[in-house]
């Protein structure tokens, strides 16, 4: 058994009677020359109502002329092949054939209903959906494609229709209840592709009636124009008429129910006013075209009985120009000229501007008042509007501060309107470097601070200088107080030790450069030497009380320094006097030892001596130093007491241990003897 599938173009018109579909062939393995064993006969087992088969050839044909795909699109046909010529005793075999009918556009579209009704509010926005209609087509694919159209002349501008598959959507363009409360029109649907073989079955299109009712709604006021353009002359006095706007209530058709106002945001300076009842727009103050050419304001219309219904419209107001501006200089002119310039020389070329519309095209006349022209030796040449020198100037001094500044007044007059204005040209007359016509002035001495430093910078510098001076004065004052504190030391209080040595040494840190013991054991009087060496001065306070009489220490030191300075100055073999090294050393005999940073034997003996003893007798200047020595001595005694107490405490702890060890040793000795 075999299954064969066949596609057949199906239509009750296109498929004629006895249309050939397929030829079926069967085989028989018997010997065809031997009787009827291999003679085959074809018959239909199933499908005799719609198909037939040729018994000898096996060709399958249609048996009816009205096969319709929309009624039945598939058929199963069973064929049988039998040997022995189809007689009894013959053997047989069968096969199944599936016949499918393909679609042709043989069905016109049809609306699902012939009348459709919808409603829409008059406030609906353009593009709003009003309703949907549908149509059907029994065909398939492209044969079932539909197109919808609103018939011409039947409100095609009010509504739109768009097909979506087998459904159409009707949308709104614009409606007005006051103009028309309902609309009736027809919609047509058709197949864009039509098979001419089936045209005799009738037109492949259909029509339906549509009725749309417009619902009334409370509408906002409607202005007579979508945009207003008005104009007004500049400098017009307040309450000058600009124009009028109008609006109507579309629900009632009345205008007395409308109230007008100006949106404050569109007119922040309140330049305009509007009459609420009539819509008349007037100016609230004079306008200036040169300041602002256009004014765009928004007018609001509101229903009195329903303030929620509001409409807006833009009003563009143009300010018309009047020739109300006199010409003026285009900038502030400042120029320079030589005092040796010749008569008639052009000092400056002048230019004027007029802010009126087209004002720069009018002629402008320049002039200098007669009294100023004679006094300043300048005039204006109308041709080219040039400022020229009228008479020879007096030569100026060649000093760097000689400059003459002249302010030349000008009068500018409009040749059309006669309006005038004044201006000033500043002319600096100065001696030139080479005396030529070109104004290259000598440099001027400036009495002002340097341009590179501002006033704030100068004040800051002065403040820094004042601070440094104050610090220096304070330092000198402190040094003077320190020096005065030592002034009570007289000649008997100090012994001068002057030591001469051959090596400068390396400073305080270089202790190996010279013998420190030599400093401490230096002689008390200088020994004359034919060749001076660097000097070391040391001051050693005496333990004895100051004695009366004799020159003071300061006088003796000064005399000594003058002597040494004279020796160095007049002896060419000596090194410069500025190489003298000065060291402060108390010398021998000081009860406190050396106060320098150099290590000396005085530090070793300091522990044995009573530091600070006798300082109270030196006067009030040494009271603070004496107190320091007392505090140090007290700290040393406290430290010694603490160390001694710790030592005793340790001995107390060690005694029981030593005693125990001793007892153990004795016990061990006795045991050994035993």
């Amino acid at each position: 058994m075999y299954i064969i599938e066949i596609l057949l173009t199906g239509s009750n018109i296109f498929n004629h009677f006895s249309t050939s579909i397929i030829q079926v062939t069967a085989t028989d393995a018997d010997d065809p020359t031997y009787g009827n064993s291999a003679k085959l006969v074809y018959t239909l087992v199933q499908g005799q109502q719609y198909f037939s088969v040729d018994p000898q050839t096996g060709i399958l044909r249609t048996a009816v002329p009205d096969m319709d795909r929309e009624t039945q699109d598939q058929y199963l046909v069973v064929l049988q092949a039998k040997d022995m010529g189809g007689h009894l005793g013959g053997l047989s075999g069968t096969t199944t054939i599936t016949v499918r009918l393909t679609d042709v556009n043989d069905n016109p579209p049809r609306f699902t209903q012939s009348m459709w009704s919808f409603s829409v509010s008059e406030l609906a926005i353009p593009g709003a959906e009003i309703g949907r209609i549908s149509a059907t087509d029994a065909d398939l694919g492209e044969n079932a494609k539909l197109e919808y159209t609103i018939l011409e002349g039947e409100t095609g501008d009010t509504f739109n229709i768009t097909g979506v598959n087998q459904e159409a959507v009707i949308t709104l363009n614009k409606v007005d209840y006051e103009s028309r409360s309902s609309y009736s029109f027809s919609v047509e649907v058709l197949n864009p592709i039509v098979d001419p073989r089936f045209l005799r079955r009738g037109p492949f299109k259909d029509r339906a009636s549509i009725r749309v009712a417009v619902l009334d709604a409370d509408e906002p006021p409607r202005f007579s124009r979508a945009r207003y353009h008005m104009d007004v002359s500049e400098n017009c006095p307040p309450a000058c008429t600009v124009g009028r706007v109008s609006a109507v209530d579309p629900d009632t058709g009345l205008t007395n129910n409308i109230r007008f106002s100006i949106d404050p945001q569109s007119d922040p300076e309140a330049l305009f006013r509007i009459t609420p009842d009539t819509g008349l727009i007037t100016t609230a103050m004079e306008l200036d075209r040169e300041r602002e050419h256009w004014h765009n304001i928004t007018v609001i219309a509101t229903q009195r009985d329903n303030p929620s219904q509001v409409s807006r419209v833009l009003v563009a107001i143009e300010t018309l120009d009047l020739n109300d501006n006199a010409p003026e200089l285009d900038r502030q002119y400042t120029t320079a000229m030589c005092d040796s310039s010749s008569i008639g020389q052009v000092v400056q070329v002048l230019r004027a501007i007029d802010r009126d519309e087209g004002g720069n095209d009018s002629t402008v006349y320049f002039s200098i008042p007669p009294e100023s022209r004679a006094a300043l030796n300048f005039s204006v040449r109308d041709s080219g509007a040039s400022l020229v020198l009228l008479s020879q100037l007096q030569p100026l001094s060649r000093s760097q501060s000689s400059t003459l500044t002249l302010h030349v007044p000008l009068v500018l007059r409009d040749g059309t309107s006669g309006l005038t204005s004044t201006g000033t040209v500043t002319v600096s007359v100065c001696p030139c470097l080479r005396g030529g016509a070109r104004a290259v002035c000598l440099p001027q001495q400036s009495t002002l601070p340097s341009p590179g430093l501002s006033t704030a910078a100068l004040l800051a510098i002065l403040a820094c200088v004042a601070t440094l001076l104050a610090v220096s004065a304070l330092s000198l004052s402190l040094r003077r107080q320190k020096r005065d504190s030592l002034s009570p030391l007289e000649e008997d209080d100090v012994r001068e030790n002057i030591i001469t040595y051959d090596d400068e040494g390396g400073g305080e840190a270089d202790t190996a450069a010279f013998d420190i013991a030599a400093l401490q054991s230096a002689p008390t009087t200088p020994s004359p030497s034919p060749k001076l060496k660097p000097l070391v001065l040391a001051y050693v306070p005496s333990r004895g009380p100051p004695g009366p009489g004799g020159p003071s220490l300061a006088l003796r030191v000064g005399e000594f320094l003058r002597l040494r300075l004279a020796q160095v100055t007049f002896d060419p073999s000596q090194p410069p006097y500025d190489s003298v090294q000065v060291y402060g050393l108390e010398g021998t005999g000081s009860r406190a030892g050396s106060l320098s940073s150099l290590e000396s034997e005085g530090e070793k003996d300091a522990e044995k001596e009573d530091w600070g003893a006798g300082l109270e007798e030196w006067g009030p200047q040494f009271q603070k130093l004496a107190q320091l020595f007392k505090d140090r001595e007290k700290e040393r005694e406290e430290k010694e007491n603490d160390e001694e107490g710790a030592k005793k405490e340790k001995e107390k702890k060690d005694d029981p241990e030593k005693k125990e060890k001793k007892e153990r040793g004795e016990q061990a000795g006795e045991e050994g003897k035993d």
Side-chain angles (χ1 to χ4, degrees):
M1 178 177 179
Y2 301 94
I3 299 177
I4 302 173
E5 184 173 351
I6 299 175
L7 296 178
L8 178 64
T9 301
S11 171
N12 56 350
I13 301 297
F14 181 68
N15 288 311
H16 299 284
F17 175 75
S18 190
T19 299
S20 178
I21 300 174
I22 191 174
Q23 182 177 6
V24 180
T25 303
T27 59
D28 194 328
D30 293 332
D31 188 359
T33 61
Y34 178 77
N36 294 328
S37 297
K39 186 178 181 179
L40 301 178
V41 175
Y42 299 95
T43 58
L44 282 175
V45 178
Q46 178 178 333
Q48 299 88 342
Q49 182 180 358
Y50 301 100
F51 302 94
S52 64
V53 63
D54 189 320
Q56 305 301 326
T57 61
I59 296 175
L60 182 66
R61 301 176 184 276
T62 58
V64 294
D66 56 353
M67 299 185 69
D68 188 7
R69 186 202 64 81
E70 285 74 28
T71 303
Q72 184 176 351
D73 62 347
Q74 179 175 309
Y75 299 88
L76 294 178
V77 180
V78 180
L79 286 176
Q80 183 185 53
K82 190 175 182 180
D83 59 4
M84 296 299 291
H87 297 294
L88 292 175
L91 301 176
S92 64
T94 60
T95 184
T96 301
I97 300 173
T98 301
V99 180
R100 297 180 183 276
L101 301 181
T102 59
D103 182 65
V104 295
N105 193 2
D106 59 342
N107 293 282
R110 293 288 181 266
F111 279 108
T112 56
Q113 60 188 63
S114 59
M115 182 68 183
W116 305 80
S117 297
F118 304 102
S119 62
V120 61
S121 172
E122 64 174 337
L123 298 181
I125 61 174
E129 180 179 330
I130 296 177
R132 294 173 179 258
I133 60 176
S134 60
T136 60
D137 192 324
D139 298 320
L140 300 176
E142 290 292 326
N143 296 329
K145 187 176 181 180
L146 305 178
E147 288 186 356
Y148 299 87
T149 307
I150 296 177
L151 298 182
E152 295 182 2
E154 297 188 7
T155 65
D157 297 335
T158 307
F159 304 98
N160 288 328
I161 189 168
T162 304
V164 181
N165 297 326
Q166 292 187 339
E167 191 177 53
V169 179
I170 300 176
T171 57
L172 175 67
N173 283 341
K174 184 179 181 181
V175 293
D176 183 12
Y177 175 82
E178 286 71 29
S179 300
R180 189 171 177 179
S181 60
S182 64
Y183 295 85
S184 297
F185 55 94
S186 298
V187 176
E188 185 179 72
V189 59
L190 54 84
N191 289 134
I193 301 175
V194 179
D195 194 336
R197 295 173 297 180
F198 306 106
L199 289 177
R200 65 186 184 89
R201 298 194 60 184
F204 280 75
K205 56 185 177 181
D206 194 16
R207 286 190 180 185
S209 298
I210 309 297
R211 177 181 174 82
V212 179
V214 180
L215 304 178
D216 186 23
D218 193 3
E219 298 180 81
R222 184 178 302 166
F223 284 97
S224 59
R225 298 180 188 178
R227 179 187 175 95
Y228 289 89
H229 174 262
M230 302 176 184
D231 54 60
V232 62
S233 298
E234 66 172 333
N235 301 331
C236 187
C240 184
T241 300
V242 178
R244 186 188 301 271
V245 297
S246 61
V248 65
D249 185 354
D251 298 322
T252 61
L254 302 177
T255 59
N256 56 2
N257 191 30
I258 308 299
R259 182 182 180 276
F260 299 97
S261 61
I262 296 177
D263 188 352
Q265 295 183 355
S266 64
D267 185 22
E269 298 180 359
L271 300 177
F272 302 94
R273 292 192 180 95
I274 188 170
T275 305
D277 297 330
T278 62
L280 180 64
I281 301 175
T282 58
T283 59
M285 59 183 66
E286 292 185 2
L287 305 180
D288 187 2
R289 189 202 68 86
E290 287 72 36
R291 180 185 177 189
E292 193 169 1
H293 188 191
W294 287 91
H295 301 273
N296 296 318
I297 64 174
T298 301
V299 176
I300 303 174
T302 307
Q303 288 186 8
R304 295 181 183 273
D305 55 353
N306 189 1
S308 63
Q309 298 298 327
V310 176
S311 297
R312 297 171 179 265
V313 69
L314 178 64
V315 180
I317 302 175
E318 180 182 8
T319 306
L320 303 180
D321 181 59
L322 293 178
N323 194 353
D324 59 342
N325 289 278
E328 55 189 23
L329 292 176
D330 62 341
R331 59 185 175 88
Q332 294 292 333
Y333 285 94
T334 301
T335 185
M337 64 175 296
C338 294
D339 58 354
S340 58
S341 300
S342 59
I343 299 174
Q345 177 178 329
V346 176
V347 179
Q348 181 66 52
V349 177
L350 306 175
R351 290 182 176 83
I353 57 174
D354 193 332
R355 295 187 298 168
D356 291 323
E357 185 176 8
N360 293 328
D361 298 333
S362 61
T363 304
V364 179
Y365 297 97
F366 297 82
S367 63
I368 300 177
E371 62 277 6
S372 300
R373 183 168 61 250
L376 299 175
N377 295 330
F378 291 99
S379 65
V380 176
R381 185 185 301 164
D382 287 338
S383 57
S386 302
L387 181 65
V388 300
L389 184 62
L390 184 61
S391 63
Q392 190 70 34
L393 297 172
Q394 294 294 331
L396 299 176
S397 172
R398 292 296 175 177
S399 65
Q400 294 183 346
S401 61
S402 298
T403 301
L404 178 61
T405 302
L406 302 176
H407 300 281
V408 182
L410 295 176
V411 178
L412 293 80
R413 181 173 58 87
D414 190 345
T416 302
S417 64
L419 297 174
T420 61
S421 66
T422 59
T424 303
V425 178
T426 303
V427 180
S428 297
V429 182
C430 58
C432 293
L433 292 175
R434 298 180 181 178
R438 185 179 180 185
V440 182
C441 299
L442 290 171
Q444 301 294 311
Q445 289 182 346
S446 177
T447 59
L448 297 176
S450 172
L453 295 176
S454 63
T455 304
L458 292 175
L459 292 176
I461 293 174
L462 292 176
C464 292
V465 172
T467 303
L468 291 176
L469 292 176
V471 172
S472 301
L474 180 60
S475 177
L476 292 175
S477 176
L478 294 176
R479 290 184 180 181
R480 182 173 298 175
Q481 291 179 4
K482 182 177 181 181
R483 186 186 62 187
D484 293 342
S485 63
L486 297 175
S487 60
L489 297 177
E490 300 296 337
E491 179 183 3
D492 295 336
D493 301 315
V494 179
R495 296 196 305 270
E496 304 87 60
N497 296 289
I498 303 168
I499 299 94
T500 303
Y501 61 94
D502 295 333
D503 191 1
E504 293 184 5
E508 293 183 349
D510 189 2
T511 59
F514 49 85
D515 188 5
I516 300 300
L519 292 176
Q520 296 177 343
S521 61
T524 59
T525 58
S527 57
S529 175
K531 184 177 181 180
L532 289 178
K533 298 292 183 177
L535 303 179
V536 178
L537 304 181
Y539 303 95
V540 181
S542 175
R543 295 187 182 181
S552 65
L553 173 63
L555 295 178
R556 295 190 61 186
V557 171
E559 181 181 356
F560 168 75
L561 292 178
R562 284 193 298 272
L563 175 62
R564 291 307 184 196
L565 179 60
Q567 291 177 355
V568 173
T569 303
F570 297 105
D571 188 354
S573 64
Q574 299 301 321
Y577 67 87
D578 58 356
S579 64
V580 174
Q581 304 293 326
V582 179
Y583 296 86
L585 182 66
E586 294 82 355
T588 59
S590 173
R591 302 179 65 183
S594 175
L595 297 179
S596 69
S597 60
L598 300 177
E599 187 177 2
S600 64
E601 294 182 357
E603 296 180 359
K604 300 178 181 179
D605 300 334
E607 298 179 358
K608 301 178 181 180
E609 297 181 2
D610 186 9
W611 283 33
L615 289 178
E616 297 87 348
E617 302 175 358
W618 291 6
Q621 293 84 354
F622 294 90
Q623 291 297 326
K624 187 173 183 180
L625 182 60
Q627 184 65 34
L628 290 175
F629 280 118
K630 288 182 178 180
D631 294 341
R632 182 173 177 180
E633 184 68 23
K634 185 177 181 180
E635 291 178 359
R636 188 179 64 179
E637 292 178 356
E638 292 178 355
K639 184 176 180 181
E640 291 177 354
N641 295 334
D642 293 341
E643 291 178 354
E644 186 177 356
K647 186 176 179 181
K648 292 180 178 180
E649 187 70 24
K650 185 177 180 181
E651 290 177 354
K652 290 181 180 180
K653 292 182 180 180
D654 293 341
D655 287 344
E657 295 179 358
K658 291 180 180 180
K659 186 177 182 181
E660 184 178 355
K661 288 181 180 180
K662 185 177 180 181
E663 292 177 355
R664 290 179 182 177
E666 292 177 354
Q667 186 178 0
E670 292 177 357
E671 291 177 357
K673 292 178 180 181
D674 296 337

